[in-house]
Amino acid sequence: MGLNFDLTEEQAAIAKLAREFADEVVAPGAGQRDKTGEFPLELVKQMGKLGFFGIPFSEAYGGMGGDTVSYALAVEEISRADASLGITLAAHCSIGMGPVYYFGTEEQKQKWLPAAARGESLASFGLTEPGAGSDSAGTRTTAVRAGDHYVINGSKSFITNAYYCRYIVCTAVTAPGKGHKGISALIVPNPTEGFSIGPAYEKMGLHASDTRPLYFDNVHVPAENLLGSEGEGFRQFMVTLDGGRISIGAMAVGIAQAALDAALKYAKERVQFGQSISKFQAIQFKLADMAMEVEMARMMVLKAAWLKDQGRPFTREGAMAKLFASEAATRAANQAIQIHGGSGYMEDFPVSRFWRDAKLTEIGEGTSEIQRIVIAKQLGC
Amino acid sequence: MEILVLLKQTFDTEAKITVKDGHVVDDDVTLVINPYDEYAVEEALKLREAQGGAVTVVSVGTDRVEEALRRALAMGADEAVLVEAPAGADELTVAHALAEWASAKQWDIVLAGNVSVDSGAGQVALRFAEVLGLPHVAAALKLEVGDGKAVVHRDAEGDTEVLEVTLPTLVTAQQGLNEPRYPSVPGIMKAKRKTIARVTPAAPVAAATVVQSVFQAQQNRRNTMIKGSPAEQAQQLVQLLRGEAKVV
């Protein structure tokens, strides 16, 4: 069959479930959680029971046997109501479970994935360090083989879901001086002696998501917790981040849609000069641009997800989708504030939250600058 | 316990209704399980969870009804049956078509919505019970089943009536009976793999009613501005309410 934009029945059903759950259960408390920064553990449990945390994983590992398209649609809908919960879901699936799912042995998958897929516990991913982010080769955390164990020392920064994770997959240098090729990935159970989780960061947005630093002080993990072979960590994490970009793109589409919905509603209600401001072309042009960009971003995210489901390369499309969707989300939130005028600058309306939340999508899981480098490399530069 | 749920697919309650050439247009409309029938599905699932057995959902309609049946399966129903709608069906035809199929099996309890939110006739479930000779209780707010009988708290125009009825029986659900669950993702994936049985009524019963015309409801809002001092305005208002609107 040629080009066809229809969702399958189950993709549509999962999107509908996510939409209803987002509108009825997630949205009502989102503004309040943004103020208090309270992590919605009850919502996470409820979502776990409904199967949200295992959508794109095989039933053999406790997953739902769904696809990346369904997963992206779910992340979009949840993020539309509350991007904090959206990133909790996205980080858990794409980069927390992803590395074990793609690179783990059968034993590792059976041990770590089922509880995570059911949302009974969360999974984290540790790459960023005080001295390593875009430049992963700057990793300073070390893992030294000692008999049947590795001993890990170092620290990680900005780790999503850290406090609630049962395990974290993190990178560490196992062969110093070899750059990327000396980096390996290890599964660190939580709790483990010597492994500590720092206090939550005070963030600009995404207040109800959990983000913390991690510290490793002579942390012993069994050698069987190594993911794949030594030296493969960098490549494994780059592949994982390729997939993660689809979910951050989906999250951005959700925020952009929320900004458009709020701006359109306000523009129709707000009367100035004797008519609703939606009758003025200055406002109409903003809304038209926002709607166009939401549509384009969604198409790109779903195309990347579809390519992934087909088992085809999607590095270029995933980077483009994430880059465009995240910048579109920030633009949409920015214009939504402008359309709201003074009210938009007040916290009584949700649009400033959208703007603060959207900004992260331009930074997390590869900055916009890194995405442009990835795309340029794919072009053959 | 064998539990049967009669289910109808209706317009989403927020859907815009358009009439064209004497028919309601449903091309671009989101269709859902009739909300009252969703209470019936939820109650059936709760009964099964408490007492074991199986939940079968059945609906009369076209191919599109599969979506509503799949949702009931995704919520947790065990089996779904689609009875093809005989041409020109009315409530009598539908009740007989359902009864013809259902009579082949023994049911302990049949649940349905009190009324559908589209045509709102409230006929099918009760007619179905009559055809099969089952006792029925309408508008349940609470249902307790045990020892071969059901105790039903029913909404009697705002009061609550408590009835005891022997099984098998048919009970219709009123708003307030329960809070329907969301279909889960594994439920959706499982529902995908299930086959929805198709049935064609062998001896359809002709409709007893004929729709003469279908037209878009017109809302005529007329505003009358009353002028004068507050005292004069009040006097005029009372006159209008008494003389024209005849409400006081």
Side-chain angles (χ1 to χ4, degrees), chain B residues 85-123:
Chain B
D90 71 351
E91 287 82 1
L92 183 73
T93 320
V94 170
H96 275 277
L98 287 168
E100 185 194 284
W101 169 80
S103 63
K105 199 170 169 180
Q106 276 291 315
W107 306 99
D108 295 297
I109 190 163
V110 182
L111 298 167
N114 182 40
V115 69
S116 64
V117 295
D118 49 8
S119 59
Q123 294 269 312

Side-chain angles (χ1 to χ4, degrees), chain B residues 59-158:
Chain B
S59 188
V60 173
T62 59
D63 290 352
R64 268 187 101 176
V65 173
E66 275 211 9
E67 192 188 335
L69 290 170
R70 291 243 182 254
R71 179 159 174 120
L73 289 173
M75 287 171 75
D78 300 281
E79 281 179 56
V81 177
L82 172 53
V83 179
E84 279 173 33
D90 71 351
E91 287 82 1
L92 183 73
T93 320
V94 170
H96 275 277
L98 287 168
E100 185 194 284
W101 169 80
S103 63
K105 199 170 169 180
Q106 276 291 315
W107 306 99
D108 295 297
I109 190 163
V110 182
L111 298 167
N114 182 40
V115 69
S116 64
V117 295
D118 49 8
S119 59
Q123 294 269 312
V124 170
L126 304 189
R127 284 183 181 278
F128 170 92
E130 286 295 320
V131 175
L132 292 184
L134 296 174
H136 54 75
V137 183
L141 292 167
K142 191 179 170 191
L143 175 65
E144 294 159 326
V145 177
D147 299 330
K149 61 193 183 204
V151 176
V152 188
H153 297 240
R154 68 174 295 270
D155 175 24
E157 302 288 327

Side-chain angles (χ1 to χ4, degrees), chain A residues 116-253:
Chain A
R118 290 192 295 266
E120 290 162 11
S121 59
L122 294 178
S124 290
F125 170 92
L127 173 67
T128 303
E129 296 185 6
S134 296
D135 176 16
S136 310
T139 300
R140 294 279 170 275
T141 298
T142 56
V144 178
R145 180 80 185 241
D148 58 356
H149 278 73
Y150 282 94
V151 182
I152 307 173
N153 279 289
S155 67
K156 296 286 172 185
S157 309
F158 314 139
I159 306 305
T160 304
N161 294 339
Y163 188 79
Y164 301 94
C165 77
R166 190 166 151 251
Y167 73 83
I168 172 168
V169 187
C170 65
T171 48
V173 176
T174 46
K178 288 173 81 176
H180 292 156
K181 294 194 171 98
I183 295 175
S184 304
L186 292 130
I187 304 167
V188 180
N190 178 31
T192 297
E193 204 183 324
F195 172 63
S196 57
I197 300 163
Y201 293 100
E202 277 187 44
K203 302 190 294 261
M204 169 180 165
L206 297 175
H207 289 157
S209 76
D210 185 66
T211 320
R212 295 166 190 266
L214 304 177
Y215 306 102
F216 303 85
D217 181 13
N218 284 320
V219 175
H220 286 62
V221 298
E224 69 200 34
N225 284 20
L226 179 72
L227 207 57
S229 316
E230 279 195 16
E232 288 183 349
F234 178 76
R235 185 189 64 84
Q236 291 165 343
F237 271 40
M238 289 305 110
V239 171
T240 301
L241 286 170
D242 271 353
R245 281 171 198 141
I246 294 172
S247 66
I248 299 298
M251 176 189 164
V253 173

